[in-house]
Amino acid sequence: MRQIARLLALVICLLTAGFYIAYGEGDKIDIPGPPQGSSLDKGGSTKFGGKELRGKDYSSSASGEEIAGFYDYFFEQNEFEKVGDQNIGNVSSAVNELDLDAQTRDELKKSLPKIDIRRMQYKKGEQVAEVVISDETTGSRKVGIVQYLQPPGTPALDKTLPSVHDSFVADSIPKEDAPGEDLQTVPRPPKGVRWSVTNSGKNADVMYSTALSPQEAHDFYQATMPEYGWQLDKDASAGELLKAYNQKGRKLEMNIPQIFSDGEDLNKVVTDSVLLKYTNEAADAQVLITPNIMDKAQGCYVRIQYNERHNRADSGEAQ
Amino acid sequence: MYQLFIKVERHKCCYQQGQIFPVLIMIICILLIFFMITINLGQVAIMRTDVSNAADAAALAIASSVTSGLLGLGMTSDTMMGYGLLVACYMIVAMVQNDWPKNLIYALELYVIGMISQMFSFFTSLDSSVKMWTGAKKKGVSYAFNNLGVDEPKPSFRQYVSSACRVTFDNLSVDPTVPFTCSPSIPHASSLPATFSTTLSDLYKDYTQGNVDDTTRMALCNYYSRNGFNKFMEDDKGGYWRNSEDPKCGSHNYACGMADEKQPSQTTGSRLISGYGWTQNADKTFSGSYVENPGTTGSNNDYHNNFKNYAEVQIEAPPFTTSLTTLGLAEIGWLGKTIAIIFGILVFIFVLVKMLENPAFEVWYMVIVAVILALVIAAISTILVWELPVGLKMKEKAETDANPITVKVNRYKAPEDLGLWRFWYGPKSSPVSAVSVSHIIRPKIVTDSNGKEIDAAGTTIQPTLSYHPAEKIAHLIVALFTKAIYTLGGDPGRNADVFEDFDATRHLYEAELMEVM
């Protein structure tokens, strides 16, 4: 009995080791650079939607077909199965699907910018390797090689939604005020960071992110705008309007898909947004408060649009 | 009769003189009877013509009033379409102008603003359409009564003075310039003086010409010198048209116009009845079903058809606003879907380009992430635009061709008022009636190869961009993008001439009188 147990333990160990060697972390293969290529010393690892991507960039003077052929051969030798080969960024195929006459379709294709990137995918067990080859630029191509794991039951990379914690999301959020100036006649929200300012003559568009909740931001502007001489013209919530619409026996439902796997529900973001319209003798101001699409606990966005009304005398109409 | 004439002719030599006289009297009596019958039947015929004219006028007035309203809704629909597409262009321009992830947030914000604005437009249209139908019915009732030839006499001067001043007319001096004390009284009017001095001459002037200088005499004149029907027609809140919000008419059944009217704001089951009845009393005065200033409790429970004479208008019209709803871009056929898909493609390209410019995507292999993200954003943007309300729609046939407006007009005259004798022509439950039916037609109806009607192709309230030449659509898109670029670049004063690409003539419905019974 003891011998049988030992034998079973040995078999389990061998199977585990074999599986690990065949499909596991331990079998990350060393993918060579492309023919006539040189390393750009760019690479490392990044996280996308919880998946760790490890990659490396190369530059190559070989043709796209040569590079593709090289990697096809390499991965075939290493028992990888080719699961994808497509031109991404090339919208011609999408345009072909449109119900348009041939001439319109061709004109549309010509008018759209061309972004030609070839993407090849290879798979062996949980391991996935991808090669991306850029269009030719100044006699050379960029080649990127990415490796990641896709355990059974987990979605493919294309079906994976980004996370709000991914570096390319979190690092892109402004932490300090963007260059420019706040409006003199409309207060900035407390605890706010200015994201952008578009100022053109009598019109301005300023956006902030703030740690205030949407309700707090709403209350803040309701309380302070009159102090700046503004009169409330409209206080509208997209959610309330939708609710009123649906109460009358009609049905208008939004079904906006998620953008971040762990972000806020975009349908809620839209319905929880509030629009405040103010007016005074000289101008109109619109304050739009939108919950933070990544995490509403972080606050909300406040966008202020200021439009000074055209003076008839200024525009030379008063004659 | 003929035999009698033959007999008299053959044997006239044998009769004594003057024997023809009884026969002549008999003939005259018969002719008189025929004459009276003719007069009375003529009265009925005139009444029948009036009733028929009234029904026709009302039915056509309602239908033509509604066609004007539908044109207005169609124009609103075009505006919503133009604005909806502009929002889509704004979103694309915002994606291009801003860095990741600001561009996504900007686009979402623009969508929210667009959504709120479109919903406001819808609710405004809904309100307008309720008012449109209410206004049309009100116009119809007014047209019917005004064409009905209601002949209620005005109170006599004697009655006017007696009622207004609470005096016995015969006790007043025959000299019209001699002053006397008038004690004015109007039910539920509190601001009148207890007495004032006046003359018959002044009161006669008020009676014939009205008075706008003295408030007391003006009130007396308005209340006592006019017949009930005039007052009924001037009151559009408690008279020929009842305002349901008026507490006087809320839950009481006394006759204040719409005895059986549904609330004007209520959009289903739209049969309404308005009527006025009157009777001449033994003292030659008139009583009417309309009670001016009835007070908050109401005391008059008389319906118009309890009076000796009455006029009644009934209207049944389709429950229009129940089917008015918003139209999504994807619902306007291939054009909407194409615009949404092109929009998605453009978003994909621009977002991808902006991503690759971002320092976070400096590493080339991250292009895979950029593509995935651009696809997600493009899908979301397409759905946002797809779902954006861009116009109004309604169940066309249910509201127009297949749902007629029926106007029934009833008129009953007391036998003694009908001609030269008391001519009984039927009970009050069988008045002279006419029914006119009108409807709103769509002059252009487009069908597909299977014979199925394509709503958005013919006369419609839907935005009329579809089924247009491609160059107009291209012009519109370019104009919208121009507008979006200028606006987001800080120059909202630059307007793109968008509306020349819409065909307002396709919102022109027509009114038609279908049948007259």
Side-chain angles (χ1 to χ4, degrees), chain B residues 16-36:
Chain B
Q16 290 182 348
Q17 277 191 344
Q19 285 197 0
I20 192 69
F21 186 70
V23 176
L24 205 61
I25 292 294
M26 197 166 67
I27 290 167
I28 288 169
C29 285
I30 289 166
L31 284 174
L32 200 61
I33 289 167
F34 272 110
F35 176 72
M36 289 169 77

Side-chain angles (χ1 to χ4, degrees), chain A residues 92-232:
Chain A
S92 302
S93 55
V95 173
N96 286 337
E97 298 301 316
L98 300 179
D99 184 16
L100 300 172
D101 62 86
Q103 190 185 352
T104 313
R105 196 184 300 137
D106 291 343
E107 282 173 11
L108 184 62
K109 277 186 197 174
K110 280 182 205 164
S111 63
L112 293 172
K114 194 179 177 189
I115 304 170
D116 198 3
I117 301 166
R118 188 168 180 182
R119 179 188 182 191
M120 297 183 295
Q121 294 167 283
Y122 304 91
K123 196 169 182 202
K124 179 183 177 184
E126 290 185 359
Q127 276 198 82
V128 182
E130 298 203 18
V131 179
V132 279
I133 308 166
S134 78
D135 198 7
E136 187 176 6
T137 50
T138 61
S140 66
R141 293 167 198 284
K142 281 182 181 172
V143 179
I145 296 167
V146 191
Q147 286 189 74
Y148 54 91
L149 293 176
Q150 189 188 324
T154 58
L157 192 66
D158 292 351
K159 301 268 166 68
T160 303
L161 289 177
S163 159
V164 295
H165 302 295
D166 290 341
S167 58
F168 65 90
V169 178
D171 295 348
S172 302
I173 307 290
K175 308 285 188 299
E176 294 174 350
D177 277 355
E181 287 183 359
D182 292 331
L183 293 164
Q184 297 294 316
T185 50
V186 182
R188 70 181 281 160
K191 304 175 192 173
V193 175
R194 190 173 60 237
W195 279 32
S196 66
V197 182
T198 308
N199 206 328
S200 170
K202 295 177 177 178
N203 307 298
D205 190 331
V206 191
M207 185 183 165
Y208 302 92
S209 65
T210 168
L212 297 182
S213 71
Q215 187 58 49
E216 286 170 335
H218 177 259
D219 295 346
F220 169 77
Y221 279 99
Q222 272 210 328
T224 54
M225 286 295 271
E227 293 171 15
Y228 283 74
W230 292 100
Q231 279 189 321
L232 183 66

